Structure formats: C-alpha cells, structure tokens
Amino acid sequence: MRDAEGAEPDKSRGRRPTMEDVAARAGVSRALVSLVFRGKPGASAATRERVLRAADELGYRPDNAARLLASDRSRTLGVMLTVHQPFHGDLVEGIYPEAERLGYDVLLSATGPGRDERKAVEALLGHRCEALILLGPSAPAEHLDELGRRTVTVVIGRRAPGAHVDTVRTADAKGIRQVVDYLVELGHRDIVHIDGGRAPGAAERRRAYRAAMRRHGLGDALRIIPGDHTDEAGIAAGKTLLAEGRMPTAVLAGNDRCAMGLMHALRSSNVEIPRDLSVVGYDDVHLAHLWPFDLTTVRQNADGLAQHAVRCAVDRLEDGTVPPREILLEPKLVVRGTTGPPPDGRRG
C-alpha cells in the first residue's frame, strides 16, 4: 500500500523515510518540511536548504501523484505536441524549466497517426491538467475557443482570431520579409516559396512572401509550390524543380524540415548549394547549424515562446481575472552556408 507521505523506500533501514524523519534530521517541525516541499512561504533560505539536505541524506522523495490526490489542484500544465516536428522539441525544452521555476509540473501528449489533436487534448484533461499549452495546433479557431472556455489554454505558433485563448507567436510576416529583402540584396529575382499547406503559420508566411515580392517589383516572378512542414514535402518540391529543367535561383521553404528535404533531393541530383541554388528555411531548429545543413534560416525564439506561454497559463490560473493575451516575438534572419549570390548570368 502506498505510504501517505508518498516517499520512496529508505533502503538502509528497510522502510520508507517520512516527513517526520526529515523533520527530525533537520531539527524543524513536520509542518515546516511540508511547506518547503510544497514551495510555500514560511521557511527561510537557510531552513529550506537544511530541510532539502536532510531529505537528500535520508533518500526522501515526495511522490507528487500521491500528494496531489489529496489536493484540489494538480499544478500540472498539459502540453500537446507533434513528435516529428523538431521545433516542438525545442519548445518543450524551454517549457520545462519555466514551469518548474513557477512551481508547476508538465505532462506531454503527442499527436500522430491514429491519434488526433482531440484525443491528445482529452488525455491531458483526463490527467487533471489545469491548463493546456498547444504547440502549433491545426484545429479551427472555433474549436480552440470552445476548449479555451473549458480550461485555460495557450496556443503557440499561430493566430486564433476570436478564440478565448492566449496566443504566443513569432511575427512571421516580418521574418519572411527579412528573407526576401536579403535575397534581393544578393541579386536574386527568381525566388520560389514552398509553402506549408494548412500547417500552423503557413498562411501568414505565404501572404508575407507574396507581399514582399510585390514590394520589390517581382510580382510577375513570384511562385508558390504547394507543400507542407515536412521533409517529404521538401523532397517532392525538389523533384518538381528538377523535372522542370530550369531552377530558380533561390527557394524559401516553409520551415527548416521542408528545407532539409529539399536539399536532400537536390544534392542527390548534383545540384550544388548555394552555387546553383540558394535555400532558406524557417525556425532555426537545433540541426540547422550542423553539417551537412548549415542552413540559412529565420530564427524563432523557442525559449522566449515557451517562457511566455507558461507565464500566460500560470498568470490566468493564479488570477482568474486576467484576460487572454496575444504576445508577438521578433524573428531574426540567421545567415549560414546555404545562401549566396545567384549563378553567373542570372543576377538581377
């Protein structure tokens, strides 16, 4: 039977250490030990350190699940992600430390084949998550609004007009504009965009590409290849360009994963990047700076997005009068080895 204190066994004594054991070792009351482990005020920094040291010496580890069964709150944030999107992994890495700093646990639920967003979300709610952080959800705004009225909900990576949710996202239009401005300055005029289809953020990036090309007087040269935020979409776009027999001078992919797929397809057919074609991605995932990618891309501030999302959720949990907010972070163009001037004879 689980100990009411939820502690792990003290193997040296053959039984589980308890809060009373920690209190005796630290020379404080059990109530003070409880305050320390619940992160509540009432213990000085020196006392807190003494309690934690005593717990470590005894091998005492509070069991959060047991503790929360007796609590009205779970202090758990549920995070929905897509496993095959590297940028979601970067976001999760930022969510954990910020949640811990604010006294919350994190529970993950992934979407995948046979497991849609609704199933992933309901699993989080079924585990008593107090708030939801959704990484790039594709659900319509009306569905997000319905969810946001059931529980505190934060959306990362897309707009959700009219929905009762917090949104934290990058100013995608500005990021795309930076790319087109940079490529035009290098001399490129034949710039193709592989879009993200219905993926989160894709529509805004698509609109921004059109606007930026027209602003440079390149409306007649703009071209959008339908795609997705996947390496398969990049590979398919590469095959399309190769079959046409005449390459553009630059390609702006919908995200880094798509750009990496494109580069794989082109390099397999001896297209040299950036000598024959410049390639730009979007996100700046961890792999982007590594060989063989060394990818020029637009950096989204993953840590900043994650931290703001956690704070939005916690602010509304701690104060029910706080309304949902929209937070917009700045993008940054990161120039690496996949871009250069257009091939000789094709400069603007």
Side-chain angles (χ1 to χ4, degrees):
M1 183 175 178
R2 182 180 289 276
D3 185 275
E5 302 296 341
E8 294 179 349
D10 179 357
K11 295 182 176 62
S12 65
R13 294 186 295 175
R15 70 173 182 86
R16 295 173 182 270
T18 65
M19 278 193 187
E20 284 80 2
D21 296 327
V22 176
R25 174 70 67 95
V28 299
S29 69
R30 181 193 183 285
L32 199 56
V33 172
S34 178
L35 288 176
V36 168
F37 278 104
R38 287 186 291 128
K40 299 293 185 180
S44 68
T47 299
R48 175 181 171 80
E49 182 179 351
R50 192 162 73 250
V51 167
L52 294 176
R53 184 168 59 250
D56 186 59
E57 291 169 355
L58 291 170
Y60 175 83
R61 296 292 183 271
D63 185 332
N64 286 338
R67 173 174 56 83
L68 293 172
L69 284 174
S71 171
D72 291 333
R73 294 193 58 187
S74 71
R75 298 190 71 83
T76 301
L77 307 178
V79 178
M80 186 200 77
L81 71 155
T82 301
V83 173
H84 64 245
Q85 286 297 350
F87 189 62
H88 288 190
D90 295 347
L91 291 170
V92 169
E93 285 188 358
I95 287 171
Y96 270 111
E98 185 66 8
E100 183 177 354
R101 187 182 73 82
L102 296 174
Y104 283 77
D105 291 328
V106 174
L107 185 65
L108 304 180
S109 184
T111 63
R115 195 168 196 264
D116 60 16
E117 291 184 3
R118 189 177 296 274
K119 287 183 179 179
V121 165
E122 291 301 327
L124 293 171
L125 295 175
H127 283 85
R128 296 186 65 213
C129 292
E130 291 191 315
L132 299 174
I133 299 177
L134 310 181
L135 311 187
S138 59
E142 55 268 26
H143 291 175
L144 294 175
D145 180 59
E146 177 185 341
L147 184 59
R149 296 184 186 280
R150 290 175 61 190
T151 190
V152 172
T153 302
V154 184
V155 171
I156 298 183
R158 58 164 281 192
R159 297 177 67 248
H164 190 74
V165 298
D166 294 270
T167 57
V168 183
R169 60 187 181 90
T170 300
D172 285 333
K174 184 175 290 188
I176 296 297
R177 186 164 63 246
Q178 289 176 7
V179 173
V180 175
D181 289 351
Y182 162 69
L183 291 173
V184 169
E185 186 176 346
L186 286 177
H188 292 275
R189 297 296 180 269
D190 191 358
I191 304 167
V192 169
H193 176 47
I194 307 171
D195 83 352
R198 300 180 64 181
E204 185 164 359
R205 295 173 197 179
R206 188 163 53 240
R207 286 192 297 267
Y209 162 76
R210 289 194 180 104
M213 290 288 283
R214 288 169 179 148
R215 188 165 58 86
H216 284 286
L218 300 175
D220 292 340
L222 69 82
R223 179 188 177 189
I224 297 173
I225 298 177
D228 198 356
H229 286 171
T230 63
D231 49 342
E232 293 88 356
I235 291 170
K239 291 179 178 178
T240 296
L241 294 173
L242 289 167
E244 292 174 351
R246 183 182 183 278
M247 286 283 173
T249 64
V251 175
L252 165 58
N255 72 344
D256 289 348
R257 192 175 168 205
C258 178
M260 292 171 184
L262 172 70
M263 291 165 63
H264 172 76
L266 297 180
R267 284 172 171 165
S268 297
S269 295
N270 298 318
V271 175
E272 193 169 322
I273 300 170
R275 187 197 67 186
D276 302 324
L277 177 78
S278 289
V279 176
V280 183
Y282 200 104
D283 285 342
D284 197 24
V285 299
H286 285 325
L287 288 175
H289 74 281
L290 299 176
W291 180 258
F293 302 115
D294 194 27
L295 179 64
T296 295
T297 186
V298 176
R299 175 177 296 158
Q300 297 200 71
N301 182 354
D303 285 343
L305 292 167
Q307 290 163 8
H308 279 292
V310 172
R311 290 172 198 163
C312 283
V314 171
D315 284 350
R316 292 181 60 207
L317 287 173
E318 303 293 340
D319 182 354
T321 66
V322 175
R325 292 167 286 178
E326 180 178 37
I327 296 176
L328 205 60
L329 273 62
E330 292 294 304
K332 180 182 179 181
L333 177 65
V334 180
V335 176
R336 297 194 180 102
T338 59
T339 49
D344 291 340
R346 299 194 62 188
R347 297 173 186 267

